[in-house]
């Protein structure tokens, strides 16, 4: 397809990883389950496709489903040579971005395990590890946007590109895998946007001759254009900030061990902006989200009177955690689906095609730093401490822990003694003799208890609505309304399906509110050893930040925090009337349906 080029915009920026990043490959010969993607030089990098994909998804959310024509189109094979159906390549191209790790840091390995909902122990065959780039890693972003005649005017292109730049600078676009489980959030810094005029003969010749005829667009101009773009990608989003503290250690256990220390806390680099090389104890977003999901499942099973079948749960862990509301809110294994086109009466998908595909969850949780930083040199001395005698080696390791000044108790100012890091010895008890069991002595390095930390959750109401089938049901309603001959019964059925999808979305929000309530009441523990004294927290506040227009209308107002001291009172959620109605309506319909099944 011949296209007349009017202008070209070029964006250069540095993407800084605010959280660890994973972009994987499929090399099964490596030792990790999910190794990092590497270029031909063996360097970790983000392929241009992995950058362009999230950018395109943001573009569609910001400007509508039909607004992503700039990213190309596949030719419609059944439309003949109709010019409107011809395909063309993307007008926006993104170059590969090699990773530049902070000096002194290397890639990290994170372990994960599924928890059997029946036994509470590790699920069979659901153990995995993932190689990640640490927070603070930088990538050089180079993006080019060609404006061609017939698709978008130069003014629209400027506005949309400026809105994209603003979203990148705000850290609203995540890249790579596990974007809702603590990975992939980046922020663009040092952004420069250039515009080249190629519509004239003089401009084209200057570009071909290598002359720099690019005009740098000022930041003020970009801000003005972004405001005029009308981007609404954040309309349904809200950040939920849970402030908490603990008197006992809260941490994830690392998959690695020391020379004499059997259990080490998971540490991550790059989280301390002042000291990028420092290592800090981290509670991963996957761990936090998993604990919240397990509790939400418990609430759902209680309401439904549903009992988990032990044998089926062991044979299929993923099937055992698939349940209404929870899957839409927290995500599930993606399912392919077909979204019908409004007004197309003949192309009606069957039930299997029309089901809503869950996939990515509507709730994202960031990693949480849960302790003071320790210098890499100090950490190396702790891990590699040794002596000829095992007991003396443990003593030597404890001495290195005590020497790590940042891990000494420095919280006396708040009147709450949290203690320093320590190596704690444990032993299993022989059930017959009552004494120590043979060969079952082990130790664990416990980091200092965290002081006033925050969980950051992000809820996307638009994503939740799609997962509940609101968009699909609305498309069906529009299609039924336009079909000839007109059939009122079909329109009524489609409207009922849409209302039920909205009800389901509202019930899912209510489920999240109940989980937050129980979190504030101290019913949810996090991290390692949550059944052995670790992981309990005291919630100080639950606040809403940066709500979009749709989220604010729903009740997530920035000036109203949830009253933690009375969350067991129904009036605490008075502003979420739609969620309460949806919860009651959902379970009323559920029980009616259950009764009908019992009669049948």
């Amino acid at each position: 397809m011949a296209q007349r080029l009017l202008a070209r915009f070029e964006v250069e920026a540095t993407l800084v990883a605010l959280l660890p990043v994973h972009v994987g490959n499929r090399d099964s010969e490596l030792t990790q389950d999910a190794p990092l993607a590497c270029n031909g030089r063996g360097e970790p990098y983000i392929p241009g496709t992995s950058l362009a994909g999230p950018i395109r998804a943001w573009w569609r959310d910001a400007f509508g489903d039909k607004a992503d024509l700039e990213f190309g189109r596949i030719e419609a094979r059944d439309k003949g040579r109709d010019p409107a159906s011809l395909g063309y390549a993307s007008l926006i191209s993104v170059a590969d971005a090699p990773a530049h790790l902070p000096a002194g840091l290397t890639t990290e390995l994170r372990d994960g395990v599924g928890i059997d909902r029946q036994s509470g122990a590790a699920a069979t065959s659901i153990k995995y590890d993932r190689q990640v780039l640490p927070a603070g890693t930088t990538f050089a972003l180079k993006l080019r946007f060609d404006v061609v005649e017939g698709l978008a005017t130069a003014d629209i292109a400027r506005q949309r590109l400026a809105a994209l730049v603003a979203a990148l600078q705000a850290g609203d676009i995540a890249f790579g895998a596990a974007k809702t489980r603590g990975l992939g959030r980046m922020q663009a810094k040092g952004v420069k946007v250039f515009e080249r005029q190629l519509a004239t003969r003089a401009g084209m010749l200057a570009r071909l001759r290598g002359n720099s005829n690019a005009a740098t667009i000022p930041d003020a101009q970009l801000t003005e254009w972004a405001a005029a773009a009308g981007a609404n990608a954040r309309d349904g989003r809200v950040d939920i900030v849970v402030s908490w503290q603990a008197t006992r250690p809260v941490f994830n256990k690392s998959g690695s061990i020391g020379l004499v220390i059997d259990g080490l806390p998971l540490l991550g680099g790059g989280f301390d902006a002042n000291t990028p090389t420092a290592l800090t104890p981290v509670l991963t977003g996957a761990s936090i989200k998993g604990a919240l999901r397990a509790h939400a499942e418990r609430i759902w099973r209680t309401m439904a009177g549903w009992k988990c079948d032990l044998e089926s749960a062991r044979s299929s862990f993923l099937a055992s955690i698939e349940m209404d509301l929870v899957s839409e809110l927290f995500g599930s294994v993606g399912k392919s689906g077909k979204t019908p086109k409004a007004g197309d009466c003949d192309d009606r998908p069957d039930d299997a095609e029309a089901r809503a595909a869950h996939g990515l969850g509507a709730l994202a949780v960031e990693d949480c730093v849960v302790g003071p930083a320790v210098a890499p040199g100090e950490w190396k001395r702790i891990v590699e401490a040794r002596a000829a005698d095992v007991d003396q080696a443990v003593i030597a390791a404890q001495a290195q822990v005590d020497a790590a000044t940042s891990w000494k108790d420095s919280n006396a100012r708040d009147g709450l003694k949290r203690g320093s890091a320590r190596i704690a010895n444990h032993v299993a008890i022989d059930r017959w003799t009552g004494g120590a069991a043979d060969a079952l002595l082990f130790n664990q390095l416990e980091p200092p208890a965290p002081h006033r930390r925050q969980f950051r959750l992000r809820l996307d109401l638009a994503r939740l609505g799609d997962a509940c089938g609101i968009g699909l049901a609305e498309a069906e309603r529009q299609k039924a309304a336009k079909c000839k001959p007109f059939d009122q019964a079909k329109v009524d059925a489609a409207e009922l399906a849409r209302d039920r999808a909205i009800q389901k979305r509202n019930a899912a929000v209510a489920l999240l509110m109940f989980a937050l309530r129980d979190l504030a009441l101290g019913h949810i523990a996090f991290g390692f050893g949550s059944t052995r004294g670790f992981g309990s927290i005291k919630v100080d506040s639950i606040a809403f930040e940066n709500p979009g227009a749709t989220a604010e209308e729903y009740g997530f107002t920035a000036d109203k925090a949830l009253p933690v001291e009375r969350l067991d009172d129904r009036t605490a959620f008075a502003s979420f009337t739609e969620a309460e109605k949806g919860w009651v309506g959902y379970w009323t319909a559920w029980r009616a349906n259950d009764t009908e099944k019992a009669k049948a």
Side-chain angles (χ1 to χ4, degrees), residues 571-582:
T571 60
F573 300 98
S575 60
F576 297 94
T577 55
E578 294 299 320
E580 182 178 6
K581 291 178 182 177

Side-chain angles (χ1 to χ4, degrees), residues 240-244 250 283 288 292 365-366 368 370 453-457 519 526 537:
I240 303 172
V241 181
V242 181
S243 300
W244 57 275
V250 179
L283 195 62
I288 301 168
L292 291 173
V365 185
E366 294 187 358
C368 178
V370 290
R453 302 292 173 173
Q454 290 183 338
F455 292 152
R456 296 193 70 89
L457 291 66
L519 171 61
F526 299 90
I537 67 173

Side-chain angles (χ1 to χ4, degrees), residues 56 59 107 130-131 142 208 227-228 318 331 339 343 353 426 469 481 592:
R56 179 171 187 164
W59 197 282
T107 60
R130 188 194 303 273
Q131 189 180 18
K142 293 184 178 181
L208 293 174
L318 296 178
T339 303
E353 292 176 320
H426 304 273

